[in-house]
Amino acid sequence: MKRKRGAVPEPGCLRAWAAESEALAGRWRAARRAGPRGAEAAARQQRGAFGELLLRMRGLPAALPTLPLELTVLYNSLVFVLGTSDRVIEGEAEGIRQGLLRVLEACGSSGQDLSTEELWQKVLQEVTDETLRAPLHRLGALQAAWWLAASRLQSVAGLFQLLSSAEDSGRVPCSAGENELLALLKAWKVPAEGASMSLVQSAEDLKETLCTAAAFLQGLQEMEAGNLPAALSLLQEAAGGLCSKGVLAQIYTCLGCCARQMGKPQTALQHLKRALQVDFQCLPALYHVAAVYQELGETDVELQALGLLYEALEKKPLSAASSSPYFLIRTELLVHTPIHTSLLRHRQPSEVKYLLAQRCLQEGRVADAVEHYLDFLAVPLGGGSALPRVPEAFLEAASALQQDGRHRDAITVCEEVISRTNDLIPRMLQVEEGLEQPESPSPGTGLAGGLLSQKRESLHCLTWRAAAYLHQGWAWVKLGESKEAVTQFSRCLSELLRFPLCGPGAEPTGNFLVEVEVLQQIRLLSLIGRGTQFLELGKHKEALLDFHYGLQVSPGDPAAASYLVQALWKLNRKQEAAAQWQKHLAREDGQQEGQGRPLPLYLVSCVKQAAFPQGESLASSVQDYLRTTSPDPFS
């Protein structure tokens, strides 16, 4: 006999479904007691089993007597769906919508055309059957988990306002300064769970998880928006909530980063050390510890922290057994923001090794820097975003080798850069002024964007190749081989002829301003280097030309100006030398330190080598000359 729509199923069928649901929940409780690994495997099995049971129950028309059990099975099924997923997929919550529609169907109503928010409002306002109150509230908390994972905070707040209003008329009170969403979550009265309804995760545990996730998520959002005091308060709230040790360590790490941004490094260190105490495998905390010590100028401790981080990353991660009960819906499943990903990103070993090499080079620990650079270049590079392009790493290694006195090794490393870029640069490289990067790329602007990227890549290759010749030139200077040094400096300048740099007073193209400034600096350093070697070889006129060209590239450069005076003096053009010296002094007085963009790290040592020696007697010689030729040379 065909069953009428809305008719109650046979009592035996209902008892069988209830017994099956109880058995499945019992197997889950046993698996959870066996430990996290056993629970993970069991969760995947139970997900399918609860899903099959739900399908059988939905094969019959919706009826009020069976809905409490059906909604409980739906709750358990979706808890397993969410708990066994690597990430929350909003479409997987469609089962909740179907459950609400079946509730309305059993009550003789419908809501197919309503949005999910409107559907919840209709159900909670129109359905008054007391047996459905607890199942609907549990399902509402589950809906909130999905919305929270999608950062739909207003939807979550609206839903819990409805859940609270269904019991208590009026708006949930929120005291001044209290977070509205957290106030709504805390005010929600978890319905009592009947003895006959076996749940795989209690509504009380789910409520605590939602509170922790909401505080954590909003804290991260406030941090991203720059509202640091509000972020600190919310993250502290999250740290007191229900979560695993791993998540608690993440929260303390974010607290440390927040305190660091607030200019409180000691407080930041306390939070970060607390993160490592809670979970020693929270390696992002160790990375941020190193960053704080760098800001404090405590280089020894900073490098020690980076060394420990590298060693930890090199080892296989240990599987730390959790002392917390295994929950299917956990805080880490519900919190996803860009800043969360950024702050808690796990670094690659090669990335940390490179950072160690860089920091040692920046701090003048060249022997350690050489060791780290050579280790870094000896292994395949990972995909870390902080890793340099390969030629840059080679050039930094060459800089470290030079400063360590290993000049021939530096020459060899630079030869590797030259060979790798040999066929990557066009014979002539021109950048048109009209080639602009579109703000909003459209199908028609894709070609221009591609040309821009291609030009920039060619400029990078030219920069690396020229810098390699520059380093080789200075290495030969240190080896006392002036002729070979002149050859390498000349090759550097010849490479730069492929890209005609802007003349005096002209501004380089805005799209390539940074690249052009670096190329100009390389040209200046190469001209100074070649000029100094011409002086060593007694070719004073050639040296004078190079220093003059250097001042055209960078007007007022103190090193080029000083060497120009020296070349004039050696050519016995003392009056011109004195005039240039006076002009140089006046310009030096007007210059301010720290102007311009910082140079790439691989050029810093070249700048130091190109500096005019402070111990030169040139200054006293010029000043003596000025005193003898004029009683008041500055009048």
Side-chain angles (χ1 to χ4, degrees):
M1 181 179 177
K2 192 173 181 179
R3 187 181 301 275
K4 293 181 181 179
R5 190 169 185 80
V8 180
E10 298 293 336
C13 190
L14 189 59
R15 284 195 298 270
W17 288 338
E20 184 176 352
S21 176
E22 173 61 36
L24 292 174
R27 284 201 289 270
W28 165 247
R29 287 191 293 270
R32 198 175 76 164
R33 286 192 295 268
R37 288 185 179 178
E40 288 175 10
R44 290 182 175 83
Q45 294 176 350
Q46 302 300 76
R47 170 178 174 168
F50 271 108
E52 291 175 4
L53 176 57
L54 182 63
L55 284 176
R56 292 201 302 273
M57 296 184 72
R58 284 185 171 176
L60 297 175
L64 284 175
T66 62
L67 275 176
L69 177 60
E70 181 180 328
L71 294 181
T72 300
V73 172
L74 172 61
Y75 172 86
N76 286 340
S77 175
L78 290 176
V79 165
F80 279 117
V81 167
L82 185 55
T84 56
S85 301
D86 293 331
R87 58 189 180 90
V88 177
I89 301 173
E90 195 167 356
E92 291 178 340
E94 181 63 22
I96 296 177
R97 179 180 176 83
Q98 296 303 318
L100 296 178
L101 289 173
R102 283 178 65 82
V103 170
L104 290 177
E105 178 188 342
C107 295
S109 184
S110 65
Q112 291 285 355
D113 298 331
L114 301 176
S115 67
T116 304
E117 288 92 337
E118 292 169 339
L119 194 56
W120 270 110
Q121 185 174 2
K122 183 178 178 68
V123 168
L124 292 174
Q125 289 177 350
E126 294 184 6
V127 177
T128 57
D129 193 303
E130 188 62 25
T131 62
L132 293 177
R133 188 180 70 86
L136 284 172
H137 272 244
R138 288 194 294 266
L139 212 56
L142 200 54
Q143 177 74 76
W146 252 281
W147 280 342
L148 202 59
S151 297
R152 294 174 57 179
L153 302 183
Q154 290 300 321
S155 297
V156 177
L159 177 57
F160 275 93
Q161 187 67 50
L162 286 171
L163 290 173
S164 299
S165 299
E167 294 183 359
D168 306 313
S169 59
R171 190 172 180 82
V172 175
C174 181
S175 59
E178 188 178 8
N179 182 270
E180 181 185 7
L181 178 55
L182 290 179
L184 286 166
L185 286 168
K186 291 175 182 178
W188 175 50
K189 296 177 182 177
V190 179
E193 297 172 0
S196 61
M197 298 297 179
S198 294
L199 304 175
V200 295
Q201 183 165 340
S202 72
E204 189 63 50
D205 289 339
L206 182 53
K207 173 184 176 179
E208 293 298 319
T209 300
L210 290 174
C211 287
T212 305
F216 193 8
L217 178 61
Q218 290 181 102
L220 291 170
Q221 289 178 340
E222 293 290 353
M223 193 173 169
E224 199 165 22
N227 302 326
L228 299 180
L232 197 68
S233 175
L234 287 162
L235 290 171
Q236 287 171 338
E237 177 81 26
L242 176 68
C243 61
S244 66
K245 288 184 176 180
V247 172
L248 183 57
Q250 290 183 5
I251 295 171
Y252 277 121
T253 301
C254 293
L255 275 166
C257 294
C258 187
R260 178 188 169 196
Q261 290 183 28
M262 295 175 75
K264 300 178 179 180
Q266 295 300 335
T267 305
L269 285 174
Q270 291 176 6
H271 288 308
L272 294 169
K273 289 177 180 179
R274 178 67 175 143
L276 291 167
Q277 290 171 356
V278 170
D279 180 9
F280 67 93
Q281 293 192 72
C282 186
L283 300 184
L286 191 53
Y287 176 85
H288 291 296
V289 164
V292 173
Y293 278 122
Q294 180 184 349
E295 289 181 358
L296 291 172
E298 298 188 31
T299 307
D300 289 335
V301 190
E302 174 206 347
L303 296 178
Q304 184 182 10
L306 288 175
L308 290 172
L309 176 58
Y310 178 74
E311 290 176 8
L313 290 169
E314 280 283 273
K315 297 176 183 176
K316 291 183 178 179
L318 303 173
S319 55
S322 174
S323 59
S324 304
Y326 183 87
F327 292 121
L328 286 159
I329 299 180
R330 307 175 299 282
T331 304
E332 53 265 42
L333 289 173
L334 309 181
V335 179
H336 301 284
T337 65
I339 192 171
H340 177 267
T341 305
S342 173
L343 294 177
L344 300 170
R345 183 175 69 85
H346 283 270
R347 269 69 186 176
Q348 297 290 330
S350 56
E351 186 179 346
V352 178
K353 175 61 74 172
Y354 170 66
L355 183 56
L356 269 168
Q358 262 202 329
R359 292 294 299 127
C360 287
L361 183 57
Q362 289 167 343
E363 296 297 324
R365 306 183 182 205
V366 291
D368 292 336
V370 166
E371 180 182 348
H372 290 310
Y373 273 118
L374 295 181
D375 288 345
F376 171 73
L377 294 172
V379 298
L381 301 185
S385 60
L387 289 176
R389 303 291 295 275
V390 172
E392 289 185 17
F394 272 93
L395 291 170
E396 289 175 13
S399 176
L401 286 164
Q402 276 203 66
Q403 294 177 66
D404 199 35
R406 297 170 60 176
H407 305 298
R408 293 191 183 275
D409 290 337
I411 292 169
T412 302
V413 169
C414 288
E415 200 60 44
E416 183 73 18
V417 177
I418 294 167
S419 64
R420 289 189 181 208
T421 57
N422 192 42
D423 300 322
L424 300 178
I425 312 169
R427 187 175 297 274
M428 285 299 293
L429 182 60
Q430 293 183 346
V431 178
E432 296 81 3
E433 290 293 332
L435 190 60
E436 296 293 332
Q437 176 70 56
E439 293 182 9
S440 303
S442 62
T445 59
L447 181 60
L451 286 173
L452 190 69
S453 177
Q454 194 175 26
K455 295 282 187 183
R456 179 168 280 113
E457 183 65 13
S458 296
L459 276 176
H460 287 163
C461 291
L462 176 60
T463 301
W464 299 327
R465 188 175 176 85
Y469 282 126
L470 176 67
H471 272 289
Q472 286 186 330
W474 285 111
W476 285 115
V477 169
K478 292 296 184 181
L479 290 169
E481 299 286 345
S482 294
K483 289 184 178 180
E484 190 61 41
V486 167
T487 299
Q488 298 308 317
F489 287 132
S490 297
R491 286 176 177 170
C492 174
L493 293 168
S494 177
E495 287 294 328
L496 293 174
L497 289 176
R498 301 189 191 205
F499 179 69
L501 296 175
C502 302
E507 290 296 327
T509 305
N511 282 320
F512 304 102
L513 186 60
V514 175
E515 290 83 357
V516 169
E517 285 182 357
V518 174
L519 286 172
Q520 286 176 321
Q521 189 68 29
I522 292 173
R523 172 174 279 185
L524 171 66
L525 294 171
S526 195
L527 285 166
I528 292 175
R530 190 172 71 172
T532 61
Q533 296 315 291
F534 279 143
L535 288 176
E536 288 290 325
L537 295 169
K539 298 181 178 182
H540 300 151
K541 289 184 179 180
E542 289 85 344
L544 181 63
L545 280 174
D546 276 348
F547 299 139
H548 178 69
Y549 290 145
L551 285 173
Q552 285 185 340
V553 172
S554 179
D557 180 78
S562 297
Y563 277 118
L564 179 69
V565 172
Q566 187 182 49
L568 287 167
W569 193 264
K570 286 181 179 291
L571 286 167
N572 204 28
R573 294 160 61 175
K574 295 184 178 180
Q575 187 174 357
E576 291 178 64
Q580 286 292 335
W581 180 261
Q582 288 176 310
K583 181 180 177 182
H584 169 53
L585 279 179
R587 184 165 281 164
E588 250 190 356
D589 292 340
Q591 280 183 339
Q592 295 181 349
E593 293 287 332
Q595 291 183 337
R597 292 182 181 85
L599 287 172
L601 182 58
Y602 59 79
L603 286 182
V604 173
S605 62
C606 296
V607 173
K608 292 178 181 177
Q609 290 179 89
F612 190 76
Q614 293 296 323
E616 284 286 333
S617 60
L618 180 64
S620 59
S621 299
V622 174
Q623 288 168 354
D624 288 343
Y625 173 79
L626 288 169
R627 278 193 294 269
T628 59
T629 57
S630 173
D632 185 11
F634 296 104
S635 61

